[in-house]
Amino acid sequence: MPKRDYPLEKLRNFGIIAHIDAGKTTTSERILYYTGSQHKIGEVHEGETTTDWMEQERERGITITAAAITSFWTRTNEPDKKDPAKKYRFNIIDTPGHIDFTVEVKRSMRVLDGAVVVFDGVAGVEPQSETNWRYADEANVPRICFINKLDRTGASFEKSYQSILDRLTKYAVRMQIPMGGEDNFAGVVDLLRMKSYTFEGNMGDLVVEAEVPAEYMEEAQKYRAELIEKIVEHDDAAMTDYLEGKEPSFEKLQEILRRAVIDNKIFPVYCGSALKNKGVQLVLDAVVDYLPSPLDMPPVKGVNPKTGEEVIRHASDEEPFCALAFKLQADPFVGQLTFFRVYSGTVEAGSYLYNSTTGQKERLGRIVRLQANEREEVKKVFAGEIAAAVGLKDTRTSHTLCDEANPIQLEQIKFPEPVISLRIEPKTKADQEKMGIAMKKLADEDPTFRVSSDTETMETLISGMGELHLEILVDRMKREFGVEANVGKPQVAYRETILKEAEAEGKYIKQTGGKGQYGHVRLRIKPLPPLDPDKKISKNVTREDHFEFINSIKGGVVPQEFIGPVEKGVREAMERGFVAGFKMVDISVELYDGSYHDVDSSEIAFKIAASMGFQEAARHAQAVLLEPIMRVEVVVPEKFMGDITGSLSGKRGAIEGMEERGLARAIKAKVPLSEMFGYTTQLRSMTEGRGSFTMEFDHYEVVPPNVAATIIASRK
């Protein structure tokens, strides 16, 4: 019978998150090297990293899919390093930084207990840092900050630290200060211990502790006083002692700081250079000291799917089994892998699991622990662990797996809607069948990838989060599934809505010999305010398309069995759209009157009547087109600023501000997605190849009439 090989309090599940190019994967590689999980450091620029194992990742030098790694760590200053009892076990997820793969960050945040947020020492907080920080806030994940790349020209710890305070949280606090900067970056001063650390040996393996050099002493004392004040604020007894002039002991300060970090009241900030092998080991010590184990996290809450009552599960092997599937991955050797996080209980390979989301039982064939793309088979997993299952056929992302005798359903992970589509067709008849299978597998893996067909042209549409996202998916179809396909131009996922209230009736009467058809409804429609992800929604409003259906029928003028078909008819009419055939959103529909016939009324008649009534009401409700507006940030050398702001304004963009980024300038704007296709090439030609930009979806906005006329004409 396999036993747990380490206590639960010595487990840390954490992710590494950052903006693209801040050095996440380089940091992950150092972590793998220092924890002894690999004996050679792979470099992103050489295409040899462990966590970026997909061919597409190595070619492009970016992370696309979140990779899971298991490793062990003993504190740097631990004298008895060989003692297995001193080891901590890490389950690490290296997540992508590119906005098109933001789903990987969102779902990883849901199952992790902590995160190390990496920042570029030159750029400080960048757009994707803000998005990732917001996801971590939503999931209540404690964080440690690591300001990386302090060896680069233009790097500034203070500027980057200030950008964290200004743009992310006022609760960030310096734990270290750098010794030297840029080419002269030599090491760090630990403010709590008041020691200096330098990194020597072949790969910085040797961490040398010394007294704080005289030239940094004054600065270190000043910031240490600030740090201690921030810590003692979170403990009344320590605060009283501190005000009386007694400084709490180092152990007491660490204990208070740990509690505050776990409660998201303090975010410690560390510094270093992963590429130059400086500072990473001290961040790992901080993970051990301040990030939570599963025991420090609040118990997970769910509902009993049979009774609807709230159920709580604690992180314990003794409680009934409960886990969340958070990621699917097609594996060329073992088939489909289902990544899951165990919240309570244990599970063995070969046992049966109950999927409370689908109500089905499934056999768990094998369990593997992952080292990015290499796997180690295990017989049993315990509470708090992250592992991957082989053999689950019907489990999808966000499904809950549990013990059938003690069912629980955990809250599902919410994913953003896709904003861009492509038309795709197989090159040959043989490719057609393969394409269907490939798309289903990719859509199972990635909840932000959608496949649909255009009812008028019968063409297949694939939708995703951006041009790069779809490009990678089409590339994967070709490489992993051998599908050759022709791809159309990218298309914007427009939406439609209404601006006014309106009423209309829909009547469907058909007399044939024998039984006829009769359906009659009166509908009232009105606009809903656009969906705010932070606001809770009333029980009538479904989140996915922000649609509300209100049944106000009194006295049974429309019988209860026809209410469902009325809602279905309205939904189908909304799918078809009114202005240009795009899906309609942000609408409230009230069924307030109607009539029926004892013999001729049927579900289909009411469905058609509702669809007709909705179309008629939309005609009077000032239906308009909506387009996705993107939050764009362009980073360019100062001499190109005028050209770039001019070009963004010419794209119907609204410039929102500018700021310094090292030696460059960052321009922030909101621009319609339809204007941004091919912008990478334009930007390169305007800036001698020195400009870069990032964009992410912000909101939907009404399309100006002249632009709408062109879109409508192209759809006819």
Side-chain angles (χ1 to χ4, degrees):
M1 186 69 177
K3 282 198 164 60
R4 184 188 274 284
D5 50 2
Y6 56 91
L8 196 50
E9 61 271 13
K10 296 232 158 151
L11 174 64
R12 300 286 182 273
N13 293 316
F14 67 97
I16 297 176
I17 59 174
H19 182 88
I20 191 165
D21 275 349
K24 273 180 327 306
T25 302
T26 305
T27 307
S28 300
E29 287 297 313
R30 297 315 183 266
I31 290 173
L32 285 179
Y33 175 74
Y34 295 134
T35 55
S37 296
Q38 66 185 43
H39 304 295
K40 171 182 177 290
I41 292 183
E43 298 296 2
V44 174
H45 50 267
E46 292 164 3
E48 291 184 350
T49 58
T50 304
T51 56
D52 285 355
W53 54 271
M54 285 167 71
E55 286 173 44
Q56 293 90 337
E57 295 180 308
R58 293 186 167 186
E59 284 166 11
R60 288 171 170 82
I62 61 167
T63 304
I64 291 168
T65 177
I69 314 148
T70 302
S71 57
F72 293 88
W73 178 247
T74 310
R75 280 192 185 92
T76 310
N77 54 1
E78 182 62 62
D80 195 3
K81 269 185 141 17
K82 296 274 186 289
D83 183 355
K86 305 286 187 195
K87 276 193 186 328
Y88 283 78
R89 178 181 189 145
F90 289 169
N91 286 325
I92 309 165
I93 295 186
D94 174 32
T95 65
H98 197 288
I99 182 63
D100 284 14
F101 309 104
T102 186
V103 57
E104 294 285 349
V105 184
K106 199 167 171 64
R107 61 172 157 204
S108 300
M109 282 296 102
R110 176 61 197 278
V111 296
L112 292 169
D113 300 330
V116 174
V117 190
V118 183
F119 299 93
D120 181 323
V122 178
V125 174
E126 296 173 271
Q128 192 60 26
S129 323
E130 294 186 54
T131 306
N132 292 344
W133 194 270
R134 195 170 67 241
Y135 289 159
D137 277 342
E138 284 170 17
N140 261 332
V141 171
R143 277 145 277 174
I144 284 173
C145 304
F146 176 54
I147 296 175
N148 187 24
K149 300 194 178 184
L150 288 181
D151 58 306
R152 274 184 61 195
T153 308
S156 160
F157 174 76
E158 280 308 314
K159 268 192 180 163
S160 300
Y161 173 65
Q162 197 54 47
S163 72
I164 296 173
L165 291 177
D166 294 343
R167 295 170 61 182
L168 299 181
T169 173
K170 56 182 189 293
Y171 300 122
V173 57
R174 292 179 198 80
M175 296 297 289
Q176 297 174 337
I177 53 170
M179 295 194 289
E182 301 183 358
D183 290 345
N184 303 319
F185 175 57
V188 300
V189 173
D190 183 313
L191 298 175
L192 204 56
R193 286 188 170 83
M194 276 309 262
K195 297 280 183 197
S196 73
Y197 291 91
T198 49
F199 304 86
E200 294 170 12
N202 185 20
M203 287 290 181
D205 322 48
L206 206 59
V207 182
V208 180
E209 183 179 287
E211 293 307 315
V212 178
E215 66 265 36
Y216 297 109
M217 190 52 107
E218 192 183 332
E219 188 187 5
Q221 284 172 335
K222 173 183 150 193
Y223 289 135
R224 183 173 197 272
E226 209 175 274
L227 168 66
I228 289 171
E229 266 178 43
K230 291 254 178 77
I231 295 174
V232 295
E233 276 174 15
H234 300 282
D235 186 287
D236 293 345
M239 185 71 162
T240 311
D241 284 353
Y242 184 69
L243 292 174
E244 288 170 2
K246 288 183 277 191
E247 185 183 294
S249 67
F250 172 75
E251 289 72 21
K252 183 67 182 165
L253 288 169
Q254 258 199 328
E255 180 199 318
I256 300 166
L257 180 56
R258 178 178 172 78
R259 277 204 314 268
V261 171
I262 291 170
D263 292 342
N264 279 318
K265 289 178 178 160
I266 287 185
F267 300 99
V269 181
Y270 290 78
C271 59
S273 162
L275 187 65
K276 294 283 165 46
N277 310 311
K278 290 175 181 165
V280 176
Q281 297 99 313
L282 301 181
V283 174
L284 295 180
D285 286 351
V287 167
V288 165
D289 291 336
Y290 306 120
L291 286 187
S293 75
L295 292 175
D296 297 312
M297 298 303 284
V300 65
K301 289 181 182 164
V303 292
N304 183 324
K306 293 175 180 166
T307 64
E309 289 169 12
E310 187 176 84
V311 188
I312 286 177
R313 291 275 189 278
H314 295 85
S316 159
D317 296 347
E318 313 308 317
E319 295 233 343
F321 174 70
C322 154
L324 183 75
F326 67 96
K327 178 179 162 66
L328 271 66
Q329 186 174 303
D331 185 288
F333 304 106
V334 297
Q336 180 133 294
L337 286 172
T338 308
F339 285 75
F340 62 96
R341 155 80 195 255
V342 183
Y343 286 103
S344 63
T346 62
V347 67
E348 289 189 55
S351 56
Y352 279 87
L353 296 177
Y354 178 64
N355 181 331
S356 60
T357 313
T358 61
Q360 304 292 319
K361 278 177 82 167
E362 287 203 68
R363 186 172 181 274
L364 174 62
R366 291 154 57 200
I367 304 173
V368 290
R369 261 193 211 129
L370 271 95
Q371 195 66 297
N373 64 330
E374 291 178 10
R375 54 199 72 71
E376 165 206 353
E377 202 153 325
V378 290
K379 288 276 173 276
K380 186 174 183 179
V381 284
F382 301 87
E385 291 197 357
I386 291 173
V390 181
L392 299 182
K393 301 259 185 321
D394 300 317
T395 300
R396 300 284 168 264
T397 300
S398 218
H399 284 188
T400 304
L401 301 167
C402 62
D403 170 16
E404 193 175 7
N406 298 281
I408 180 173
Q409 194 168 340
L410 303 174
E411 189 188 344
Q412 298 217 343
I413 309 171
K414 303 277 192 303
F415 295 109
E417 288 288 311
V419 291
I420 185 170
S421 305
L422 285 177
R423 291 181 188 279
I424 186 168
E425 60 181 30
K427 279 191 176 166
T428 65
K429 192 88 178 124
D431 286 320
Q432 189 160 3
E433 202 168 296
K434 285 195 288 187
M435 189 167 97
I437 295 164
M439 282 183 176
K440 180 171 186 327
K441 286 197 169 164
L442 292 171
D444 285 345
E445 270 186 43
D446 184 346
T448 57
F449 172 59
R450 309 277 168 86
V451 182
S452 58
S453 59
D454 188 318
T455 45
E456 288 161 18
T457 61
M458 298 314 291
E459 291 172 302
T460 302
L461 292 176
I462 55 174
S463 309
M465 300 306 292
E467 286 181 271
L468 180 65
H469 185 200
L470 293 179
E471 187 189 316
I472 297 279
L473 287 162
V474 171
D475 191 30
R476 284 187 61 193
M477 267 189 230
K478 186 175 171 183
R479 292 194 198 188
E480 291 172 33
F481 301 96
V483 176
E484 293 290 339
N486 296 322
V487 179
K489 282 204 177 90
Q491 294 178 319
V492 179
Y494 291 103
R495 296 276 184 264
E496 297 178 17
T497 192
I498 55 171
L499 299 180
K500 295 195 321 200
E501 286 191 31
E503 290 183 8
E505 73 174 332
K507 214 170 206 177
Y508 179 67
I509 303 172
K510 195 172 181 188
Q511 287 309 132
T512 50
K515 188 174 184 292
Q517 296 285 2
Y518 182 92
H520 173 219
V521 295
R522 289 181 189 274
L523 302 174
R524 187 179 290 127
I525 68 174
K526 65 178 182 186
L528 284 171
L531 179 57
D532 179 348
D534 299 328
K535 291 256 174 28
K536 292 282 180 275
I537 293 175
S538 78
K539 63 179 187 300
N540 288 329
V541 183
T542 54
R543 189 172 195 108
E544 60 281 7
D545 43 15
H546 206 206
F547 161 68
E548 178 178 53
F549 182 77
I550 301 168
N551 171 16
S552 300
I553 291 296
K554 302 275 191 302
V557 290
V558 174
Q560 192 59 39
E561 66 264 30
F562 299 134
I563 304 294
V566 170
E567 181 176 349
K568 211 168 180 188
V570 168
R571 278 183 182 275
E572 282 181 14
M574 284 176 68
E575 282 291 334
R576 290 194 297 274
F578 179 77
V579 183
F582 295 105
K583 182 177 172 181
M584 300 188 83
V585 295
D586 298 341
I587 298 177
S588 171
V589 178
E590 184 183 1
L591 168 64
Y592 69 93
D593 199 5
S595 62
Y596 72 103
H597 186 280
D598 284 337
V599 178
D600 292 351
S601 282
S602 66
E603 290 191 0
I604 190 79
F606 270 95
K607 193 168 140 187
I608 295 169
S611 185
M612 290 161 62
F614 180 82
Q615 291 275 347
E616 182 59 33
R619 186 171 284 116
H620 304 294
Q622 205 182 332
V624 289
L625 270 185
L626 297 172
E627 65 180 344
I629 304 294
M630 310 303 280
R631 190 161 54 222
V632 177
E633 182 171 283
V634 188
V635 180
V636 290
E638 192 168 1
K639 67 174 182 175
F640 300 113
M641 271 183 56
D643 296 350
I644 299 303
T645 49
S647 85
L648 290 173
S649 301
K651 292 179 175 298
R652 299 193 281 128
I655 308 290
E656 297 205 309
M658 299 173 201
E659 62 180 49
E660 283 185 35
R661 275 287 158 82
L663 302 172
R665 294 287 180 276
I667 302 159
K668 296 179 175 191
K670 299 254 174 82
V671 190
L673 173 62
S674 57
E675 303 282 348
M676 291 302 290
F677 291 139
Y679 189 61
T680 309
T681 316
Q682 287 174 30
L683 183 65
R684 281 180 188 150
S685 62
M686 287 165 70
T687 60
E688 301 164 5
R690 292 159 68 193
S692 65
F693 82 99
T694 55
M695 68 175 182
E696 66 174 304
F697 172 72
D698 192 75
H699 67 286
Y700 271 96
E701 206 169 85
V702 176
V703 179
N706 58 327
V707 181
T710 316
I711 297 166
I712 294 164
S714 72
R715 295 278 289 182
K716 286 286 182 275

